[in-house]
Amino acid sequence: HRGKFQSEIGALFGKEGYQGDFYGIRLGLEAQITDHLSAEVDVESVDADSWLVWDSENVIGDYQRRESTFSLNMSYVRGRHELRLKGEAVAINANLNSSLQVATDGRVSPVDTGLADFTVSEFAMQLRYRYSLGRISELFLVYSRGGEFEGGRVSGSLGSKL
């Protein structure tokens, strides 16, 4: 297994939101570095014309969205020991197209609200150690860390928010 690499590239596209399209790209790389150590990296970027976000009661915001995701997984497995590192970062920029109100009969109409552009970014990381004590007994030690930012429009690239 040593020195084995695998890569993946994918295109994403389809319909999303009220009357919009989305498209994106996904890149992935997996590596079996040694017999005991492996790593995986994934990067994804998606753009959407229409992304619906519920605000309150029957009001939704229709946003143009750019989302970037980065994830890393590393594993070291040897005998009864296993050490894993997992991390993920997500950044979203959302620009308001319009505010919409949905009537009880299902009709959708524009409405004037205080909705605005916004940015969201999240990060999560986990370091996990597992020791196999026996056939059905295991000891786990886990350290997790994460954070989130939500706010109005922030200048800069999505990469700077990751």
Side-chain angles (χ1 to χ4, degrees):
H1 297 117
R2 179 185 293 175
K4 186 176 180 183
F5 293 89
Q6 182 176 333
S7 60
E8 175 184 1
I9 185 168
L12 311 165
F13 55 91
K15 297 289 185 187
E16 181 175 79
Y18 184 53
Q19 293 179 342
D21 298 312
F22 73 89
Y23 57 93
I25 188 166
R26 181 178 184 274
L27 306 170
L29 177 65
E30 292 182 38
Q32 187 69 41
I33 300 164
T34 69
D35 289 340
H36 306 286
L37 180 63
S38 64
E40 180 181 342
V41 176
D42 289 306
V43 178
E44 183 174 294
S45 180
V46 177
D47 288 306
D49 298 336
S50 179
W51 181 49
L52 300 179
V53 178
W54 174 75
D55 181 55
S56 62
E57 297 182 21
N58 60 344
V59 175
I60 56 176
D62 181 17
Y63 292 88
Q64 183 178 17
R65 170 184 58 128
R66 170 163 278 174
E67 180 175 344
S68 296
T69 305
F70 173 81
S71 64
L72 169 70
N73 295 314
M74 295 184 74
S75 298
Y76 179 81
V77 180
R78 187 168 194 153
R80 294 179 172 214
H81 304 275
E82 179 182 296
L83 185 63
R84 294 191 187 271
L85 174 67
K86 295 184 176 215
E88 183 174 63
V90 178
I92 299 173
N93 276 343
N95 299 315
L96 184 65
N97 291 328
S98 62
S99 298
L100 303 169
Q101 187 170 28
V102 181
T104 55
D105 64 2
R107 286 181 294 143
V108 178
S109 57
V111 64
D112 187 21
T113 66
L115 295 179
D117 300 348
F118 67 92
T119 298
V120 176
S121 60
E122 295 183 352
F123 172 77
M125 188 267 310
Q126 180 186 78
L127 181 63
R128 182 180 76 188
Y129 172 76
R130 180 181 71 140
Y131 180 75
S132 180
L133 297 168
R135 288 184 67 203
I136 57 172
S137 298
E138 299 171 321
L139 171 69
F140 283 91
L141 298 173
V142 178
Y143 175 77
S144 292
R145 187 79 179 165
E148 181 177 302
F149 168 80
E150 293 184 34
R153 183 73 176 171
V154 178
S155 62
S157 69
L158 278 179
S160 68
K161 293 168 187 65
L162 289 176

PDB file of all heavy atoms in Angstrom, residues 4-24:
ATOM      1  N   LYS A   4       0.909   4.826  -2.466  1.00  0.00           N
ATOM      2  CA  LYS A   4      -0.246   4.794  -3.347  1.00  0.00           C
ATOM      3  C   LYS A   4      -1.011   6.111  -3.245  1.00  0.00           C
ATOM      4  O   LYS A   4      -1.361   6.547  -2.151  1.00  0.00           O
ATOM      5  CB  LYS A   4      -1.151   3.629  -2.966  1.00  0.00           C
ATOM      6  CG  LYS A   4      -2.298   3.430  -3.916  1.00  0.00           C
ATOM      7  CD  LYS A   4      -3.091   2.189  -3.524  1.00  0.00           C
ATOM      8  CE  LYS A   4      -4.241   1.990  -4.471  1.00  0.00           C
ATOM      9  NZ  LYS A   4      -5.047   0.843  -4.079  1.00  0.00           N
ATOM     10  N   PHE A   5      -1.235   6.759  -4.395  1.00  0.00           N
ATOM     11  CA  PHE A   5      -1.947   8.028  -4.434  1.00  0.00           C
ATOM     12  C   PHE A   5      -3.178   7.886  -5.314  1.00  0.00           C
ATOM     13  O   PHE A   5      -3.174   7.165  -6.299  1.00  0.00           O
ATOM     14  CB  PHE A   5      -1.064   9.139  -5.007  1.00  0.00           C
ATOM     15  CG  PHE A   5       0.091   9.491  -4.126  1.00  0.00           C
ATOM     16  CD1 PHE A   5       1.305   8.835  -4.252  1.00  0.00           C
ATOM     17  CD2 PHE A   5      -0.040  10.472  -3.163  1.00  0.00           C
ATOM     18  CE1 PHE A   5       2.379   9.151  -3.436  1.00  0.00           C
ATOM     19  CE2 PHE A   5       1.020  10.796  -2.337  1.00  0.00           C
ATOM     20  CZ  PHE A   5       2.229  10.131  -2.483  1.00  0.00           C
ATOM     21  N   GLN A   6      -4.217   8.625  -4.938  1.00  0.00           N
ATOM     22  CA  GLN A   6      -5.440   8.644  -5.723  1.00  0.00           C
ATOM     23  C   GLN A   6      -5.966  10.069  -5.742  1.00  0.00           C
ATOM     24  O   GLN A   6      -6.025  10.720  -4.694  1.00  0.00           O
ATOM     25  CB  GLN A   6      -6.466   7.697  -5.104  1.00  0.00           C
ATOM     26  CG  GLN A   6      -7.751   7.603  -5.874  1.00  0.00           C
ATOM     27  CD  GLN A   6      -8.693   6.582  -5.253  1.00  0.00           C
ATOM     28  OE1 GLN A   6      -8.275   5.637  -4.607  1.00  0.00           O
ATOM     29  NE2 GLN A   6      -9.975   6.798  -5.459  1.00  0.00           N
ATOM     30  N   SER A   7      -6.338  10.547  -6.914  1.00  0.00           N
ATOM     31  CA  SER A   7      -6.886  11.901  -7.002  1.00  0.00           C
ATOM     32  C   SER A   7      -8.272  11.846  -7.617  1.00  0.00           C
ATOM     33  O   SER A   7      -8.638  10.888  -8.292  1.00  0.00           O
ATOM     34  CB  SER A   7      -5.974  12.803  -7.834  1.00  0.00           C
ATOM     35  OG  SER A   7      -5.848  12.301  -9.142  1.00  0.00           O
ATOM     36  N   GLU A   8      -9.027  12.897  -7.347  1.00  0.00           N
ATOM     37  CA  GLU A   8     -10.399  12.973  -7.833  1.00  0.00           C
ATOM     38  C   GLU A   8     -10.700  14.418  -8.189  1.00  0.00           C
ATOM     39  O   GLU A   8     -10.313  15.341  -7.480  1.00  0.00           O
ATOM     40  CB  GLU A   8     -11.344  12.497  -6.722  1.00  0.00           C
ATOM     41  CG  GLU A   8     -12.796  12.627  -7.034  1.00  0.00           C
ATOM     42  CD  GLU A   8     -13.691  12.232  -5.859  1.00  0.00           C
ATOM     43  OE1 GLU A   8     -13.175  11.878  -4.792  1.00  0.00           O
ATOM     44  OE2 GLU A   8     -14.905  12.312  -6.026  1.00  0.00           O
ATOM     45  N   ILE A   9     -11.389  14.600  -9.297  1.00  0.00           N
ATOM     46  CA  ILE A   9     -11.869  15.924  -9.670  1.00  0.00           C
ATOM     47  C   ILE A   9     -13.322  15.761 -10.100  1.00  0.00           C
ATOM     48  O   ILE A   9     -13.666  14.779 -10.766  1.00  0.00           O
ATOM     49  CB  ILE A   9     -11.010  16.573 -10.783  1.00  0.00           C
ATOM     50  CG1 ILE A   9     -11.468  18.003 -11.045  1.00  0.00           C
ATOM     51  CG2 ILE A   9     -11.019  15.744 -12.042  1.00  0.00           C
ATOM     52  CD1 ILE A   9     -10.512  18.800 -11.914  1.00  0.00           C
ATOM     53  N   GLY A  10     -14.168  16.669  -9.663  1.00  0.00           N
ATOM     54  CA  GLY A  10     -15.581  16.550  -9.995  1.00  0.00           C
ATOM     55  C   GLY A  10     -16.213  17.896 -10.241  1.00  0.00           C
ATOM     56  O   GLY A  10     -15.791  18.910  -9.694  1.00  0.00           O
ATOM     57  N   ALA A  11     -17.207  17.897 -11.110  1.00  0.00           N
ATOM     58  CA  ALA A  11     -17.981  19.098 -11.397  1.00  0.00           C
ATOM     59  C   ALA A  11     -19.352  18.950 -10.760  1.00  0.00           C
ATOM     60  O   ALA A  11     -19.936  17.861 -10.761  1.00  0.00           O
ATOM     61  CB  ALA A  11     -18.121  19.300 -12.897  1.00  0.00           C
ATOM     62  N   LEU A  12     -19.850  20.026 -10.191  1.00  0.00           N
ATOM     63  CA  LEU A  12     -21.157  20.050  -9.560  1.00  0.00           C
ATOM     64  C   LEU A  12     -22.022  21.060 -10.303  1.00  0.00           C
ATOM     65  O   LEU A  12     -21.561  22.167 -10.591  1.00  0.00           O
ATOM     66  CB  LEU A  12     -21.038  20.486  -8.097  1.00  0.00           C
ATOM     67  CG  LEU A  12     -19.984  19.789  -7.252  1.00  0.00           C
ATOM     68  CD1 LEU A  12     -19.735  20.564  -5.971  1.00  0.00           C
ATOM     69  CD2 LEU A  12     -20.434  18.385  -6.944  1.00  0.00           C
ATOM     70  N   PHE A  13     -23.243  20.703 -10.608  1.00  0.00           N
ATOM     71  CA  PHE A  13     -24.153  21.660 -11.229  1.00  0.00           C
ATOM     72  C   PHE A  13     -25.580  21.165 -11.065  1.00  0.00           C
ATOM     73  O   PHE A  13     -25.819  19.969 -10.905  1.00  0.00           O
ATOM     74  CB  PHE A  13     -23.827  21.876 -12.714  1.00  0.00           C
ATOM     75  CG  PHE A  13     -23.787  20.625 -13.519  1.00  0.00           C
ATOM     76  CD1 PHE A  13     -24.928  20.161 -14.156  1.00  0.00           C
ATOM     77  CD2 PHE A  13     -22.616  19.892 -13.633  1.00  0.00           C
ATOM     78  CE1 PHE A  13     -24.898  18.985 -14.897  1.00  0.00           C
ATOM     79  CE2 PHE A  13     -22.575  18.720 -14.365  1.00  0.00           C
ATOM     80  CZ  PHE A  13     -23.719  18.267 -15.005  1.00  0.00           C
ATOM     81  N   GLY A  14     -26.517  22.116 -11.083  1.00  0.00           N
ATOM     82  CA  GLY A  14     -27.915  21.754 -10.951  1.00  0.00           C
ATOM     83  C   GLY A  14     -28.771  22.960 -10.639  1.00  0.00           C
ATOM     84  O   GLY A  14     -28.335  24.108 -10.758  1.00  0.00           O
ATOM     85  N   LYS A  15     -29.981  22.700 -10.220  1.00  0.00           N
ATOM     86  CA  LYS A  15     -30.947  23.739  -9.858  1.00  0.00           C
ATOM     87  C   LYS A  15     -30.965  23.893  -8.342  1.00  0.00           C
ATOM     88  O   LYS A  15     -30.859  22.914  -7.610  1.00  0.00           O
ATOM     89  CB  LYS A  15     -32.351  23.368 -10.338  1.00  0.00           C
ATOM     90  CG  LYS A  15     -32.475  23.267 -11.837  1.00  0.00           C
ATOM     91  CD  LYS A  15     -32.385  24.638 -12.446  1.00  0.00           C
ATOM     92  CE  LYS A  15     -32.637  24.570 -13.946  1.00  0.00           C
ATOM     93  NZ  LYS A  15     -32.396  25.863 -14.572  1.00  0.00           N
ATOM     94  N   GLU A  16     -31.130  25.145  -7.895  1.00  0.00           N
ATOM     95  CA  GLU A  16     -31.177  25.400  -6.461  1.00  0.00           C
ATOM     96  C   GLU A  16     -31.981  26.664  -6.218  1.00  0.00           C
ATOM     97  O   GLU A  16     -31.992  27.579  -7.038  1.00  0.00           O
ATOM     98  CB  GLU A  16     -29.759  25.570  -5.906  1.00  0.00           C
ATOM     99  CG  GLU A  16     -29.728  25.808  -4.407  1.00  0.00           C
ATOM    100  CD  GLU A  16     -28.316  25.853  -3.865  1.00  0.00           C
ATOM    101  OE1 GLU A  16     -27.664  26.891  -4.012  1.00  0.00           O
ATOM    102  OE2 GLU A  16     -27.880  24.844  -3.300  1.00  0.00           O
ATOM    103  N   GLY A  17     -32.635  26.715  -5.074  1.00  0.00           N
ATOM    104  CA  GLY A  17     -33.318  27.933  -4.671  1.00  0.00           C
ATOM    105  C   GLY A  17     -34.628  28.158  -5.395  1.00  0.00           C
ATOM    106  O   GLY A  17     -35.278  27.240  -5.870  1.00  0.00           O
ATOM    107  N   TYR A  18     -34.997  29.432  -5.489  1.00  0.00           N
ATOM    108  CA  TYR A  18     -36.293  29.803  -6.055  1.00  0.00           C
ATOM    109  C   TYR A  18     -36.289  29.617  -7.573  1.00  0.00           C
ATOM    110  O   TYR A  18     -37.153  28.967  -8.123  1.00  0.00           O
ATOM    111  CB  TYR A  18     -36.621  31.244  -5.658  1.00  0.00           C
ATOM    112  CG  TYR A  18     -37.973  31.710  -6.115  1.00  0.00           C
ATOM    113  CD1 TYR A  18     -39.116  30.983  -5.815  1.00  0.00           C
ATOM    114  CD2 TYR A  18     -38.102  32.884  -6.830  1.00  0.00           C
ATOM    115  CE1 TYR A  18     -40.357  31.414  -6.230  1.00  0.00           C
ATOM    116  CE2 TYR A  18     -39.346  33.326  -7.239  1.00  0.00           C
ATOM    117  CZ  TYR A  18     -40.468  32.582  -6.947  1.00  0.00           C
ATOM    118  OH  TYR A  18     -41.689  33.014  -7.358  1.00  0.00           O
ATOM    119  N   GLN A  19     -35.317  30.206  -8.246  1.00  0.00           N
ATOM    120  CA  GLN A  19     -35.214  30.055  -9.700  1.00  0.00           C
ATOM    121  C   GLN A  19     -33.759  30.155 -10.115  1.00  0.00           C
ATOM    122  O   GLN A  19     -33.405  30.931 -10.996  1.00  0.00           O
ATOM    123  CB  GLN A  19     -36.028  31.137 -10.421  1.00  0.00           C
ATOM    124  CG  GLN A  19     -37.510  31.002 -10.213  1.00  0.00           C
ATOM    125  CD  GLN A  19     -38.285  32.102 -10.922  1.00  0.00           C
ATOM    126  OE1 GLN A  19     -37.753  33.130 -11.299  1.00  0.00           O
ATOM    127  NE2 GLN A  19     -39.568  31.860 -11.110  1.00  0.00           N
ATOM    128  N   GLY A  20     -32.896  29.384  -9.485  1.00  0.00           N
ATOM    129  CA  GLY A  20     -31.484  29.544  -9.754  1.00  0.00           C
ATOM    130  C   GLY A  20     -30.764  28.261 -10.106  1.00  0.00           C
ATOM    131  O   GLY A  20     -31.323  27.169 -10.075  1.00  0.00           O
ATOM    132  N   ASP A  21     -29.512  28.433 -10.439  1.00  0.00           N
ATOM    133  CA  ASP A  21     -28.619  27.332 -10.770  1.00  0.00           C
ATOM    134  C   ASP A  21     -27.442  27.363  -9.807  1.00  0.00           C
ATOM    135  O   ASP A  21     -27.133  28.390  -9.212  1.00  0.00           O
ATOM    136  CB  ASP A  21     -28.072  27.497 -12.199  1.00  0.00           C
ATOM    137  CG  ASP A  21     -29.172  27.478 -13.243  1.00  0.00           C
ATOM    138  OD1 ASP A  21     -30.020  26.583 -13.190  1.00  0.00           O
ATOM    139  OD2 ASP A  21     -29.178  28.384 -14.106  1.00  0.00           O
ATOM    140  N   PHE A  22     -26.769  26.219  -9.677  1.00  0.00           N
ATOM    141  CA  PHE A  22     -25.510  26.196  -8.949  1.00  0.00           C
ATOM    142  C   PHE A  22     -24.491  25.432  -9.773  1.00  0.00           C
ATOM    143  O   PHE A  22     -24.838  24.595 -10.606  1.00  0.00           O
ATOM    144  CB  PHE A  22     -25.668  25.588  -7.550  1.00  0.00           C
ATOM    145  CG  PHE A  22     -25.853  24.095  -7.539  1.00  0.00           C
ATOM    146  CD1 PHE A  22     -24.757  23.237  -7.490  1.00  0.00           C
ATOM    147  CD2 PHE A  22     -27.127  23.545  -7.575  1.00  0.00           C
ATOM    148  CE1 PHE A  22     -24.926  21.862  -7.484  1.00  0.00           C
ATOM    149  CE2 PHE A  22     -27.309  22.170  -7.558  1.00  0.00           C
ATOM    150  CZ  PHE A  22     -26.201  21.333  -7.519  1.00  0.00           C
ATOM    151  N   TYR A  23     -23.249  25.751  -9.563  1.00  0.00           N
ATOM    152  CA  TYR A  23     -22.158  25.046 -10.217  1.00  0.00           C
ATOM    153  C   TYR A  23     -20.940  25.116  -9.308  1.00  0.00           C
ATOM    154  O   TYR A  23     -20.818  26.019  -8.480  1.00  0.00           O
ATOM    155  CB  TYR A  23     -21.838  25.643 -11.596  1.00  0.00           C
ATOM    156  CG  TYR A  23     -21.501  27.107 -11.556  1.00  0.00           C
ATOM    157  CD1 TYR A  23     -20.179  27.522 -11.442  1.00  0.00           C
ATOM    158  CD2 TYR A  23     -22.495  28.079 -11.605  1.00  0.00           C
ATOM    159  CE1 TYR A  23     -19.862  28.870 -11.375  1.00  0.00           C
ATOM    160  CE2 TYR A  23     -22.183  29.424 -11.543  1.00  0.00           C
ATOM    161  CZ  TYR A  23     -20.874  29.812 -11.431  1.00  0.00           C
ATOM    162  OH  TYR A  23     -20.556  31.141 -11.363  1.00  0.00           O
ATOM    163  N   GLY A  24     -20.080  24.135  -9.434  1.00  0.00           N
ATOM    164  CA  GLY A  24     -18.906  24.122  -8.579  1.00  0.00           C
ATOM    165  C   GLY A  24     -17.903  23.085  -9.027  1.00  0.00           C
ATOM    166  O   GLY A  24     -18.103  22.362 -10.012  1.00  0.00           O
TER     167      GLY A  24
END
